[in-house]
Amino acid sequence: MDGDPAVEPELDSFSLFLPLPYRVAIILVLGVWAWGLNLHYLHFIKIDVPALIRYPPRTSPTFPSHHLSTYRLATLLTIPLAASLTIFWTVTQGQASSVLAWEILPASYLFLLVLCFFLPTQRLSRTGRYRFLSILKRVGIGGIAEAKDGKFGDVLMADVLTSYAKVFGDLFVSICMFFSGSSSTGKPDRGCGGQYMVPLIISIPSLIRLRQCLIEYLRVRRDNKKSGGLGTSGWGGQHLANALKYSSAFPVVILSAMQRGYDPTKIGISEKGLFRLWLFFVFLNSFYSFYWDVAKDWDLTLFSSAAERNNPEHPWGLRRHQHFHTKEMYYGVVIVDLMLRCTWSFKLSPHLDHFNDLEGGIFAMEFLEVLRRWVWIFFRIEAEWVRNNRGPAPDDILLGDLIGRIDEDALSPTVY
C-alpha cells in the first residue's frame, strides 16, 4: 500500500476492506433477510407467524405474502448498500488515507438505512415497517404488550436486540467517531464517549429484557391477587428466573470494562483475580442461557427428568409435537446453540477489542450470533405454535419422527 504512512499502520487489512460502519450496516441488513427467511419457511410448514405476533392478516389474496414483503424491503436496503460498497472500494483502492477520507459514503448509507423505515410508500411494506417501529418504541423502554395485544412479538423483538448488542455498540462508536472529528472509517475507538459508554450501550438490550421479565412477574402477582389464588402461570417464579438470566450478562460486561482500564490503585483485586471472576460469569451466562434456550424457549426435554427425557412417545430429549422434518435437526441446533452461546459471551467483552487482529474475528462473531438467533427464532416460534395449538394433526407428513398418538390432554398450553 502507498497510503499515508502516518495513518496506515492504524488500519488493519480487514478494516481497509470493510470499515466499521459498513460492518454495522451489513449485519443490520442481514437481519431483515433473515426475518424474511423465518417467515417464508414457517409459512411453508403451516405455522402462522402473523397470528402469533398479532399482526394483521392479508385481507386479499392479491396482496403479497408477509415474507415477500420482507424480501422487498431487504432488497431495497441491499441495493444501495452494494452500490455504496462498490463506489467505496473503487475510490479508496485499499489506501488507508483514502479509506479515512471517504467516511461520508458509509455514513450516508446508515442515514439512508434509517430513512427507509420511515418512507410512506405502501409497496415497500409500509404497514410492516411502521409496526416494527411501533414495537421498537414500546420495547425500547422495556415495555411489553399484553398477550392479546402481541406480547409474543415484543418478546421476540427484545430477544433479537440482545443478539445485536455488540452491533449497537459498534454503531455508537461509528457515530461517535464521525462527530468527534476522527474518521469513522479509521481504527475503531471503542473508548469513544468514555470508558464505560460502550459497555452501557451493550447492556441496554439485556436491561430491556430484564424489565420485561419483571413486568410479567408483577402481572402474574396482580392476576393471582384478583383471582384469590394461583393461576395457570403459578406464582411467577419462571419470570424471575428469566430475569436472573439476563442479569447474568451485566457482570460479564462490567468486569470486562474494568479489565480494559485496569488500575490497581482503584480496583481492590489483582488483574489475575479480576480475569478469573470475569471468566466465571462468562461461563455462568453462557450455560444459563443455553439451558434456557433448550428447556424453556424450545420446550425440549433434554434437561427434564429421566422419565420425561426417555419418554417413548418422542425422540430422546425432544418433545411429542414437532414440526420440523427430522430429530437430527433438533440435536444439531442444540449443539450449535451451545457453541455459539459460549463464543458470544466472550465477544460481549469490550476489553478483547483492543487487539487489532480481532477486528475480522469480532465481525465474524457478530455474524454468527445473528445466524444463531435466526435459527433460534425458528424453534422458538415452533414451540409457541405448539403451546397454542397442541401440535399438528396426526397425519401431518412433517411428523415422520413423531412416535405415538396425540393425547389432547397431555400437553397443556403455556399461559402468559
Side-chain angles (χ1 to χ4, degrees):
M1 276 181 273
D2 55 357
D4 185 350
V7 296
E8 197 165 318
E10 295 185 2
L11 284 173
D12 60 283
S13 58
F14 186 77
S15 294
L16 287 173
F17 174 74
L18 205 60
L20 187 63
Y22 276 129
R23 292 178 234 163
V24 172
I26 288 173
I27 295 294
L28 291 174
V29 173
L30 179 66
V32 181
W33 282 107
W35 177 239
L37 290 170
N38 286 135
L39 293 174
H40 196 167
Y41 185 75
L42 291 168
H43 172 76
F44 175 73
I45 62 173
K46 304 299 187 295
I47 292 180
D48 190 353
V49 179
L52 285 176
I53 62 176
R54 302 298 188 268
Y55 187 82
R58 295 298 192 233
T59 56
S60 170
T62 60
F63 289 170
S65 61
H66 295 92
H67 58 267
L68 180 57
S69 295
T70 306
Y71 289 151
R72 287 178 176 176
L73 176 60
T75 302
L76 170 69
L77 301 177
T78 302
I79 291 175
L81 174 59
S84 180
L85 274 169
T86 300
I87 296 172
F88 182 82
W89 289 330
T90 301
V91 299
T92 60
Q93 295 293 312
Q95 297 184 14
S97 57
S98 297
V99 169
L100 296 176
W102 283 93
E103 64 172 336
I104 190 64
L105 285 174
S108 298
Y109 176 76
L110 286 175
F111 175 76
L112 177 64
L113 176 64
V114 174
L115 184 63
C116 283
F117 281 89
F118 294 91
L119 292 175
T121 307
Q122 179 64 45
R123 287 181 59 83
L124 296 174
S125 187
R126 184 180 65 181
T127 303
R129 287 183 284 116
Y130 286 5
R131 175 66 178 269
F132 168 81
L133 294 173
S134 174
I135 294 176
L136 187 62
K137 180 181 178 181
R138 179 170 60 247
V139 167
I141 58 173
I144 184 170
E146 296 283 354
K148 61 182 175 59
D149 298 321
K151 188 198 80 167
F152 181 59
D154 287 8
V155 171
L156 282 181
M157 171 75 79
D159 275 324
V160 167
L161 293 181
T162 63
S163 291
Y164 274 84
K166 193 69 170 59
V167 180
F168 294 145
D170 284 348
L171 176 61
F172 169 80
V173 169
S174 298
I175 296 173
C176 180
M177 292 176 64
F178 184 83
F179 287 104
S180 65
S182 57
S183 177
S184 60
T185 51
K187 175 185 176 182
D189 177 15
R190 292 184 172 86
C192 190
Q195 178 182 352
Y196 293 101
M197 195 61 191
V198 171
L200 177 62
I201 298 295
I202 292 175
S203 300
I204 288 176
S206 293
L207 282 168
I208 289 173
R209 279 299 284 132
L210 171 62
R211 185 170 186 267
Q212 286 183 333
C213 293
L214 294 178
I215 289 174
E216 290 190 88
Y217 169 72
L218 293 175
R219 285 177 180 174
V220 171
R221 291 285 302 273
R222 178 199 63 195
D223 293 342
N224 288 343
K225 186 175 181 180
K226 286 182 178 179
S227 64
L230 293 180
T232 54
S233 297
W235 62 277
Q238 180 162 307
H239 297 306
L240 291 182
N242 201 13
L244 181 62
K245 182 194 73 173
Y246 291 103
S247 299
S248 68
F250 302 141
V252 176
V253 177
I254 294 171
L255 291 171
S256 178
M258 293 171 65
Q259 289 182 80
R260 187 170 190 171
Y262 180 75
D263 184 351
T265 62
K266 296 181 180 180
I267 302 175
I269 184 174
S270 68
E271 191 169 10
K272 188 175 182 180
L274 190 62
F275 172 77
R276 288 177 175 174
L277 187 60
W278 166 79
L279 198 61
F280 167 77
F281 282 106
V282 163
F283 282 103
L284 177 64
N285 174 259
S286 297
F287 289 106
Y288 195 171
S289 299
F290 168 68
Y291 162 79
W292 201 273
D293 287 343
V294 174
K296 303 299 182 180
D297 289 339
W298 298 340
D299 292 343
L300 303 183
T301 59
L302 188 63
F303 299 114
S304 302
S305 65
E308 194 172 357
R309 188 168 55 248
N310 297 311
N311 190 330
E313 294 188 334
H314 60 70
W316 182 88
L318 303 186
R319 47 175 150 77
R320 297 182 62 191
H321 305 295
Q322 303 157 53
H323 282 262
F324 296 111
H325 293 281
T326 65
K327 61 183 179 182
E328 286 76 18
M329 290 181 65
Y330 293 86
Y331 296 140
V333 164
V334 167
I335 294 171
V336 169
D337 189 72
L338 173 61
M339 293 189 298
L340 293 183
R341 271 295 187 185
C342 294
T343 306
W344 183 240
S345 290
F346 277 99
K347 290 306 176 185
L348 277 175
S349 306
H351 81 281
L352 296 178
D353 296 341
H354 68 278
F355 297 106
N356 287 336
D357 59 346
L358 280 182
E359 285 301 327
I362 292 169
F363 176 72
M365 289 303 103
E366 291 175 351
F367 172 83
L368 288 173
E369 172 59 15
V370 171
L371 177 64
R372 186 198 69 80
R373 182 61 67 180
W374 174 64
V375 175
W376 177 92
I377 286 175
F378 282 116
F379 290 85
R380 177 65 184 90
I381 291 178
E382 183 223 17
E384 190 70 16
W385 185 254
V386 170
R387 294 173 188 178
N388 283 271
N389 297 276
R390 302 187 180 189
D395 58 346
D396 193 316
I397 61 172
L398 297 177
L399 284 178
D401 290 304
L402 183 62
I403 301 174
R405 63 183 182 85
I406 294 181
D407 181 354
E408 287 295 329
D409 297 324
L411 182 63
S412 299
T414 301
V415 179
Y416 292 99

